[in-house]
C-alpha cells in the first residue's frame, strides 16, 4: 500500500470518528483523530461535546507513551487558545510526535493556521489538505457561525408532488411517510434549534421536541417568531421546559403584560425590530448567534419559509417530496409572495443530491 493510500485510510477513519459527534459539539466543530505508529492504530478519539477533551487529546491519552515518534491524523487544525479546555497544540508539542496530518485549517480567526504554524516551528512535519472537502460538509454550521457569528440556516418542508405544504384548510398531517418523519428527527438532532412561526403554534400546537433516545440530554432550543405575542399561555410548548428552552421573538408593539406572562411560564422573550408586522430576520439570527446557537432548522409554514427565501438567509434546504397531489389554489406552497419575475431570476439550488425513503424523495441542496 502506498503512503498516500495509507494516509487516506487513516484520515477516513478519523472522519468516521468525527461523524459520531454530529449535533453534540456546538458551538465547537466535530473533530476526529487517529494516532498511528508502524502502520498500527495506537490511539483514537473524537470531540464528544463542548467542554470535554478535544479529539487529539482523547487520542493521545489512549496512545500514551506509544505516541512518541508516531503520526497523528487530525480532521481539523489543533487549537492554540484557551476556551473551555486548554490549547491542544501544547499537548501535541509535548508528546514527541514525528508527523501530523491535518485535513483542514480551522476558520476560527483565533486558530487559523496558527496551530499548524506552531507545530512546524517546533520541527514537526505537518501536511494539510487531505480530504478537506469532508470537513467543509461535516462542519458547515460551525464554519458559518465562527466566521459570521450567525447560525447556519436549514429549511425543511414536506411537499406534495404539486408543491403544496398543506391543504387549503391548513391540514398538513401527514404529507410525508412515518419513515421520513423519523429521518426529520435526525435532522433536528443535528441542529441547535428549531424555528417556526406563530401560525404553526396556533394551528398545530406542536411540542417541537427531540424524540430520539440518542439525542437525550442534548441542549435544544425551540424558537418562535411572534411579532404581536399571540402565543397562547396554554400551548403545549410551555408544558415541558426540560424538552428545550423556548425563545419567542416579538416586535416592539407586542404587549408587555403578555410578555410578562410568557416569561413567568419559562419562555425567553426577545424584542427585535419589525416592519409591517414582519420581524427583522437578520436581527433574529444575530441574537441567536449571541447565544452560541450555531445552526437552526426552520420548520415554519409558508410565511416563515417565504421570508427566509426572499431575504436570502437560508443556506440549505431539505424538501421531502411525497407521491400525492393536494391541489387547490389556496393551498400553501413553501415559496409564496411575488416570486421571481422570470425563470432566469429564480432561486436555484447548488450541490443538489436526492435519495429515497420509502415512497418519498428527499431533495437536499444549498444556496
Amino acid at each position: 500500500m502506498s503512503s498516500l493510500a495509507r494516509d487516506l485510510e487513516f484520515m477516513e477513519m478519523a472522519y468516521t470518528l468525527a461523524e459520531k459527534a454530529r449535533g453534540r459539539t456546538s458551538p465547537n466543530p466535530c473533530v476526529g483523530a487517529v494516532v498511528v505508529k508502524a502502520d498500527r492504530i495506537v490511539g483514537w478519539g473524537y470531540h464528544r461535546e463542548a467542554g470535554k477533551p478535544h479529539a487529539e487529546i482523547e487520542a493521545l491519552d489512549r496512545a500514551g507513551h506509544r505516541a512518541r515518534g508516531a503520526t497523528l491524523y487530525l480532521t481539523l487544525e489543533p487549537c492554540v487558545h484557551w476556551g473551555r479546555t486548554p490549547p491542544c497544540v501544547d499537548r501535541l508539542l509535548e508528546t514527541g510526535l514525528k508527523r501530523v496530518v491535518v485535513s483542514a485549517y480551522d476558520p476560527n480567526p483565533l486558530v487559523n493556521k496558527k496551530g499548524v504554524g506552531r507545530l512546524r516551528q517546533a520541527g514537526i512535519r505537518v501536511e494539510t489538505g487531505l480530504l478537506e472537502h469532508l470537513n467543509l460538509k461535516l462542519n458547515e454550521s460551525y464554519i458559518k457561525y465562527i466566521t459570521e457569528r450567525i447560525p447556519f440556516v436549514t429549511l425543511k418542508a414536506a411537499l406534495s408532488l404539486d408543491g403544496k405544504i398543506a391543504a387549503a384548510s391548513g391540514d398538513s398531517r401527514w404529507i410525508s411517510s412515518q419513515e421520513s418523519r423519523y429521518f426529520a428527527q435526525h435532522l433536528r438532532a443535528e441542529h441547535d434549534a428549531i424555528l417556526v412561526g406563530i401560525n404553526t403554534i396556533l394551528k398545530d400546537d406542536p411540542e417541537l421536541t427531540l424524540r430520539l433516545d440518542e439525542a437525550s440530554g442534548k441542549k435544544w432550543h425551540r424558537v418562535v417568531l411572534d411579532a404581536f405575542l399571540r402565543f397562547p399561555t396554554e400551548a403545549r410548548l410551555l408544558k415541558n421546559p426540560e424538552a428545550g428552552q423556548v425563545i419567542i421573538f416579538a416586535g416592539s408593539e407586542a404587549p408587555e403584560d403578555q410578555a410578562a406572562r410568557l416569561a413567568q411560564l419559562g419562555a425567553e422573550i426577545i424584542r427585535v425590530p419589525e416592519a409591517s408586522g414582519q420581524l427583522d430576520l437578520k436581527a433574529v439570527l444575530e441574537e441567536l448567534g449571541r447565544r452560541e446557537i450555531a445552526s437552526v432548522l426552520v420548520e415554519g409554514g409558508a410565511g416563515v419559509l417565504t421570508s427566509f427565501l426572499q431575504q436570502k438567509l437560508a443556506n440549505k434546504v431539505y424538501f421531502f417530496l411525497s407521491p400525492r397531489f393536494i391541489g387547490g389554489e389556496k393551498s400553501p406552497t413553501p415559496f409564496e409572495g411575488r416570486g421571481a419575475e422570470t425563470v432566469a431570476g429564480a432561486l436555484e439550488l447548488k450541490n443538489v443530491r436526492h435519495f429515497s425513503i420509502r415512497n418519498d424523495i428527499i431533495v437536499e441542496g444549498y444556496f
Side-chain angles (χ1 to χ4, degrees), residues 299-337:
E299 288 192 7
V304 172
L305 293 171
T306 297
S307 293
F308 274 95
L309 289 169
Q310 283 180 334
Q311 297 179 42
K312 298 183 178 180
L313 291 173
N315 302 106
K316 182 178 183 177
V317 299
Y318 278 100
F319 280 174
F320 293 61
L321 193 60
S322 173
R324 64 181 78 216
F325 293 89
I326 294 177
E329 292 183 2
K330 295 184 179 180
S331 299
T333 66
F335 191 16
E336 300 191 330

Side-chain angles (χ1 to χ4, degrees), residues 21 23-29 49-50 84 145 192 218 292-295:
R24 287 285 188 176
T25 61
S26 185
N28 292 353
E49 61 182 75
R84 293 181 173 93
Y145 167 74
D192 296 341
K218 173 183 167 64
E292 294 191 334
I293 294 172
S295 59

Side-chain angles (χ1 to χ4, degrees), residues 249-301:
F249 283 93
S252 58
E253 301 298 317
E256 289 287 352
D257 56 346
Q258 176 69 344
R261 282 192 291 269
L262 292 169
Q264 194 170 21
L265 292 170
E268 181 182 6
I269 312 301
I270 303 174
R271 295 183 184 270
V272 294
E274 63 172 292
S276 303
Q278 298 294 313
L279 297 176
D280 183 338
L281 292 184
K282 187 67 182 296
V284 168
L285 295 179
E286 288 170 350
E287 285 291 339
L288 294 177
R290 279 191 272 274
R291 286 156 177 76
E292 294 191 334
I293 294 172
S295 59
V296 175
L297 182 66
V298 178
E299 288 192 7

Side-chain angles (χ1 to χ4, degrees), residues 309 312 335 339-348:
L309 289 169
K312 298 183 178 180
F335 191 16
E341 295 290 338
T342 64
V343 173
L347 293 176
E348 185 174 358

Side-chain angles (χ1 to χ4, degrees), residues 6-7 10 13 33-44 59-60 62-73 95-101:
R6 283 196 298 271
D7 284 348
F10 291 129
M13 291 180 184
V34 174
V35 182
V36 177
K37 192 169 187 178
D39 286 342
R40 294 186 63 182
I41 295 175
V42 295
W44 59 271
L60 292 172
R62 282 196 172 90
H65 69 276
R66 295 172 295 179
R68 184 163 296 278
T71 296
L72 170 67
Y73 293 87
T95 304
L97 291 164
K98 181 180 179 181
R99 178 174 173 248
V100 178
V101 182

Side-chain angles (χ1 to χ4, degrees), residues 76-315:
L76 194 68
E77 180 178 17
C79 65
V80 296
H81 65 297
W82 279 87
R84 293 181 173 93
T85 58
C88 292
V89 72
D90 293 344
R91 175 68 182 279
L92 270 62
L93 294 175
E94 296 168 358
T95 304
L97 291 164
K98 181 180 179 181
R99 178 174 173 248
V100 178
V101 182
V102 174
S103 178
Y105 289 113
D106 191 331
N108 185 344
L110 295 174
V111 181
N112 186 249
K113 299 187 178 180
K114 297 180 179 68
V116 166
R118 286 275 305 278
L119 295 174
R120 285 176 172 157
Q121 286 171 8
I124 297 174
R125 181 182 167 195
V126 184
E127 296 167 26
T128 62
L130 188 66
L131 300 181
E132 183 179 10
H133 66 283
L134 296 182
N135 179 68
L136 294 175
K137 173 78 171 176
L138 174 64
N139 284 312
E140 58 192 14
S141 296
Y142 168 74
I143 293 168
K144 173 72 180 290
Y145 167 74
I146 207 65
T147 56
E148 300 183 35
R149 292 296 173 180
I150 61 174
F152 185 94
V153 176
T154 302
L155 308 186
K156 175 258 172 183
L159 288 72
S160 62
L161 278 180
D162 53 341
K164 308 296 185 180
I165 60 173
S169 65
D171 176 63
S172 60
R173 295 187 176 181
W174 297 102
I175 292 177
S176 58
S177 67
Q178 182 177 353
E179 292 84 353
S180 290
R181 297 196 298 276
Y182 180 71
F183 174 72
Q185 280 290 316
H186 283 274
L187 288 182
R188 287 187 181 185
E190 291 181 6
H191 290 76
D192 296 341
I194 185 170
L195 184 150
V196 300
I198 184 58
N199 287 333
T200 295
I201 303 299
L202 296 174
K203 289 179 182 177
D204 300 335
D205 193 19
E207 293 182 279
L208 303 179
T209 54
L210 291 171
R211 296 186 291 276
L212 296 174
D213 291 340
E214 56 265 41
S216 62
K218 173 183 167 64
K219 190 176 181 182
W220 180 239
H221 301 81
R222 298 174 288 173
V223 181
V224 180
L225 305 181
D226 184 8
F228 302 111
L229 282 185
R230 295 183 290 148
F231 199 109
T233 54
E234 68 276 10
R236 291 199 301 163
L237 202 62
L238 300 172
K239 306 297 184 187
N240 192 9
E242 63 273 13
Q245 173 67 44
V246 176
I247 301 174
I248 304 174
F249 283 93
S252 58
E253 301 298 317
E256 289 287 352
D257 56 346
Q258 176 69 344
R261 282 192 291 269
L262 292 169
Q264 194 170 21
L265 292 170
E268 181 182 6
I269 312 301
I270 303 174
R271 295 183 184 270
V272 294
E274 63 172 292
S276 303
Q278 298 294 313
L279 297 176
D280 183 338
L281 292 184
K282 187 67 182 296
V284 168
L285 295 179
E286 288 170 350
E287 285 291 339
L288 294 177
R290 279 191 272 274
R291 286 156 177 76
E292 294 191 334
I293 294 172
S295 59
V296 175
L297 182 66
V298 178
E299 288 192 7
V304 172
L305 293 171
T306 297
S307 293
F308 274 95
L309 289 169
Q310 283 180 334
Q311 297 179 42
K312 298 183 178 180
L313 291 173
N315 302 106

